[in-house]
Amino acid sequence: MLTYIAKRLAVAVPTLLALIVISFLLMHAAPGGPFTYEKKLPAAVLANLNAKYGLDQPLWRQMISYVWGMVAHFDFGPSFVYKDRTVNEIIAQGFPVTFQYGGWAFVMAVVCGIGLGVLAAIFQNTWLDYLSIGISIGASVLPNFVLAPILVLIFTRWLGWLPGGGWEGGDWKHQLMPILAMGTAYMASIARIMRSSMLEVLTQNHIRTARAKGLPTWKVITRHALKPALIPVLSYLGPVFVAMITGSVVVDMYFSTAGVGKFFVDAALNRDYAVMMGVTLLAGGLTILFNLVVDVLYAWVDPKIRY
Amino acid sequence: MLTPINMQALATRLAGLEEVKGRSLWADARRRFWRNKAAVAGLAMLAICIAFAAFGQAIAPFSYDFIDFNIMGHADELGRPSLTYWFGADDQGRDLFARTAMGVRISLLVGLIGTAISVVVGTLYGAVSGYLGGRIDGFMMRLCDIMLSIPFMFVLILMLVMFGKSLSVLYLSIGLLSWPAMARIVRGQTLTLKAREYIEAAQATGVPTTRIILRHILPNLLGIVVIYATLLVPDIIITESFISFLGLGVQEPQTSLGTLISDGAKAIYYDTLWQIGFPLGFFLLLMFGFYFVGDGLRDALDPKER
């Protein structure tokens, strides 16, 4: 197991490096730099600015110093637009917020999705099954940027129960709609995957045996059926995790929550390369780490898998 | 008894035979598809969207960038859906019917072109990787894994910012970023096809490799490619809308469904619900349409389901 984790981490390093190189080259292939304003800067000012941020160095040296800063000091460099802030500060401010509502959305999607899927499978072809299929088909075509305005329309405009935006230090009323907007579509997909895999597991011999020896249904499900049925869901968790990070881009824009997505879009609109790269790399690194965790979980759920 | 002369006759007869016309997979699939009510309903939804995208701007009384200065700023009173403005007008005084038609058109185009790029690249990559096998396969798939573990949306936004927010950049970068999933599916299918008896039979009877690929592998790949392409189109439309929702995609005065939904979403505080209602309606129609058609195609074409 440990060798497997080591091996996976060894693969993760070139992946991250590839990500760095690709985004770095993209950055420099682009016409215009971070200091291309509508009003042209005097050549001397531009040269000084470029020297200050190291942009006058050859490409390979810039890349090496960037990677070195990241590896040695976990330093993503200064922001090009917010003169007095580093990328680290921006990330440190945004990520905790994103993690808070993103984490809840993740938990909601997984727990409710699995619950809904199991219920639909146990009560196959009853109204409960059709209801949960209906919900999951409906919800799967409602991506976060569609669901968010619908939620605001219902809960803020018509019912007046929830505030339509803001963060207020993580007050639950401000978190509820971001969580729902981000999690619902993934809850639907998980429910669908869970239902079909549960149905498959329920036809297997060991379940028949468990039933035959007189175990009550809930015990058959929790002790014998749940673990094998979870495997396909596990493999879907990686994409869900990524979606929680990228989804924060929409949620932050629409609900004015101060997560990392807000900074990313601002950076994209202002051509603040350093912030964009920092966020992209951090998201990439987290994704790789999370996929590793999922793979380890696989081994726990499915004893047939040996590394 | 097969005398050498008989053998010769048999050989000439066999050589002279035309290829046997069987009941094709596609005729079979077509029959199954038309029997599936949800799939036919999905097809109808798509037909409505396509017709609207094709002719909507032509029959609209206003062009998509015509600004009515009387309505500008008073959309909540003067911009209601009416006989002049069928879908209402937005707060800039522009006709929403023409704009929605344009939005559907651009979203559909991005979806189709992006999918086409990703299908071509992914199918070629996957088929080559699967057919060659061995170390090349290992390397090509490792590259695929790296592509898949990169946060797609961030890189897409990065590319759009770097190369300018234009439609062609949007098509290209979406297509070029979404092929790895397709490549993996195609590779898996190629691997199973390679081990089939009829491929072996073809190889044994001396059919050249290119002909095996064209006559036996590609037609059998086509089914799975069509299914995943149909499911990829709504994915790409969602991606495009996501990007446009953030204001990083299609630029004014052009518009796409994502931009319209974004504008409408900002306008719900001013009670101009038609601004979000019509674009959202067509967005959902597209999503459901592709979803049902894709599902129906899967049932009709997936050989495992027989």
Side-chain angles (χ1 to χ4, degrees):
Chain A
M1 184 58 115
L2 275 177
T3 47
Y4 174 75
I5 295 178
K7 238 194 232 163
R8 284 294 309 263
L9 282 176
V11 177
V13 172
T15 309
L16 265 182
L17 277 179
L19 188 56
I20 293 176
V21 172
I22 291 172
S23 39
F24 211 88
L25 292 181
L26 274 178
M27 234 165 81
H28 287 268
F35 308 118
T36 316
Y37 301 116
E38 304 242 330
K39 221 172 87 184
K40 255 197 160 163
L41 291 171
V45 176
L46 196 62
N48 279 338
L49 272 174
N50 280 339
K52 182 180 179 237
Y53 290 102
L55 294 175
D56 55 345
Q57 306 272 335
L59 201 59
W60 60 271
R61 182 163 306 162
Q62 283 185 44
M63 187 141 52
I64 286 175
S65 70
Y66 185 80
V67 173
W68 177 247
M70 240 178 61
V71 175
H73 319 292
F74 207 70
D75 178 12
F76 290 98
S79 159
F80 291 149
V81 172
Y82 303 102
K83 302 285 179 237
D84 51 339
R85 299 171 71 187
T86 65
V87 179
N88 283 38
E89 283 167 1
I90 289 172
I91 286 174
Q93 192 189 345
F95 254 98
V97 174
T98 299
F99 268 130
Q100 200 176 342
Y101 64 72
W104 282 116
F106 186 81
V107 170
M108 183 204 96
V110 172
V111 172
C112 297
I114 289 177
L116 213 59
V118 170
L119 276 182
I122 298 175
F123 300 100
Q124 194 194 0
N125 296 331
T126 64
W127 64 270
L128 204 62
D129 186 22
Y130 297 136
L131 184 71
S132 71
I133 294 177
I135 290 175
S136 64
I137 291 180
S140 62
V141 296
L142 289 176
N144 46 24
F145 61 88
V146 170
L147 198 54
I150 294 178
L151 285 174
V152 169
L153 189 63
I154 296 173
F155 291 109
T156 306
R157 289 293 290 162
W158 288 345
L159 298 175
W161 290 350
L162 295 169
W167 182 241
E168 308 288 328
D171 180 42
W172 68 269
K173 274 188 169 175
H174 288 87
Q175 280 196 53
L176 212 53
M177 282 199 289
I179 291 170
L180 279 176
M182 269 168 85
T184 305
Y186 295 92
M187 178 198 78
S189 310
I190 290 176
R192 213 152 5 125
I193 295 169
M194 190 68 203
R195 174 178 179 271
S196 58
S197 98
M198 189 53 127
L199 282 177
E200 209 176 304
V201 170
L202 285 179
T203 62
Q204 280 171 7
N205 288 336
H206 73 279
I207 299 297
R208 192 158 16 122
T209 311
R211 284 215 169 113
K213 72 182 182 189
L215 276 186
T217 307
W218 65 271
K219 228 171 179 176
V220 173
I221 299 290
T222 50
R223 289 200 60 91
H224 297 279
L226 198 58
K227 249 168 104 176
L230 275 176
I231 294 171
V233 175
L234 266 184
S235 64
Y236 186 64
L237 290 189
V240 174
F241 180 80
V242 176
M244 292 305 122
I245 296 183
T246 46
S248 85
V249 175
V250 158
V251 164
D252 285 339
M253 289 302 282
Y254 195 66
F255 291 109
S256 318
T257 43
V260 78
K262 164 111 182 64
F263 294 110
F264 188 77
V265 174
D266 283 351
L269 292 170
N270 291 326
R271 290 177 157 261
D272 192 347
Y273 299 145
V275 172
M276 289 181 79
M277 261 186 86
V279 175
T280 307
L281 289 180
L282 203 61
L286 285 172
T287 309
I288 291 166
L289 203 69
F290 187 81
N291 281 332
L292 182 67
V293 173
V294 167
D295 283 345
V296 173
L297 274 179
Y298 249 85
W300 173 70
V301 171
D302 187 354
K304 271 186 300 189
I305 295 175
R306 283 277 168 267
Y307 299 113
Chain B
M1 272 286 122
L2 281 174
T3 61
I5 299 163
N6 279 352
M7 277 288 275
Q8 197 108 55
L10 189 66
T12 43
R13 250 182 63 204
L14 277 178
L17 272 182
E18 291 297 307
E19 277 165 8
V20 182
K21 264 239 178 290
R23 198 171 61 157
S24 86
L25 168 83
W26 295 94
D28 241 19
R30 208 154 37 229
R31 226 191 45 234
R32 252 196 302 271
F33 184 86
W34 285 111
R35 254 194 261 135
N36 184 340
K37 277 185 202 121
V40 173
L43 209 58
M45 292 178 194
L46 289 188
I48 293 171
C49 290
I50 290 170
F52 184 60
F55 306 116
Q57 279 177 275
I59 57 172
F62 303 95
S63 106
Y64 71 90
D65 54 357
F66 172 78
I67 293 173
D68 186 337
F69 288 99
N70 290 324
I71 295 177
M72 189 184 260
H74 303 286
D76 48 342
E77 297 151 24
L78 301 171
R80 290 179 183 287
S82 64
L83 282 177
T84 29
Y85 291 102
W86 300 334
F87 283 3
D90 66 9
D91 217 37
Q92 267 97 20
R94 292 175 300 194
D95 177 31
L96 265 181
F97 186 82
R99 289 184 73 72
T100 309
M102 168 162 225
V104 174
R105 174 186 285 190
I106 288 193
S107 288
L108 259 177
L109 270 182
V110 172
L112 294 177
I113 294 177
T115 304
I117 294 173
S118 133
V119 161
V120 170
V121 177
T123 309
L124 275 177
Y125 194 92
V128 167
S129 177
Y131 203 79
L132 294 183
R135 210 172 270 174
I136 301 174
D137 181 38
F139 175 75
M140 286 175 86
M141 279 304 114
R142 180 56 48 77
L143 212 68
C144 234
D145 285 344
I146 290 181
M147 286 285 291
L148 280 173
S149 67
I150 287 173
F152 173 86
M153 198 64 80
F154 288 103
V155 178
L156 184 58
I157 294 175
L158 211 60
M159 285 178 88
L160 277 168
V161 171
M162 301 306 166
F163 297 114
K165 298 162 207 155
S166 73
L167 262 182
S168 41
V169 175
L170 199 62
Y171 295 144
L172 265 176
S173 38
I174 290 184
L176 287 179
L177 284 174
S178 57
W179 61 265
M182 182 64 94
R184 284 196 127 186
I185 293 158
V186 166
R187 171 187 171 264
Q189 188 74 2
T190 310
L191 283 183
T192 48
L193 286 180
K194 232 170 75 179
R196 292 271 168 84
E197 284 91 346
Y198 60 84
I199 301 287
E200 216 177 320
Q203 282 166 346
T205 49
V207 182
T209 316
T210 45
R211 202 166 153 72
I212 293 180
I213 294 177
L214 289 178
R215 183 75 174 81
H216 298 289
I217 292 202
L218 269 190
N220 285 301
L221 280 179
L222 212 54
I224 207 153
V225 168
V226 167
I227 294 166
Y228 280 94
T230 330
L231 296 173
L232 193 59
V233 178
D235 258 12
I236 290 185
I237 291 178
I238 287 182
T239 306
E240 183 275 327
S241 302
F242 186 100
I243 299 282
S244 294
F245 186 90
L246 300 174
L248 295 167
V250 179
Q251 298 296 302
E252 295 279 349
Q254 286 190 320
T255 192
S256 86
L257 284 179
T259 321
L260 288 170
I261 292 173
S262 163
D263 290 347
K266 284 171 202 144
I268 58 176
Y269 288 103
Y270 309 107
D271 283 321
T272 53
L273 289 186
W274 57 89
Q275 270 200 61
I276 189 167
F278 290 107
L280 198 60
F282 274 98
F283 179 83
L284 292 182
L285 212 57
L286 268 182
M287 289 299 111
F288 274 121
F290 276 111
Y291 181 86
F292 286 140
V293 168
D295 233 38
L297 279 178
R298 184 175 9 217
D299 290 345
L301 282 173
D302 197 343
K304 266 181 287 177
E305 295 296 314
R306 318 207 157 167

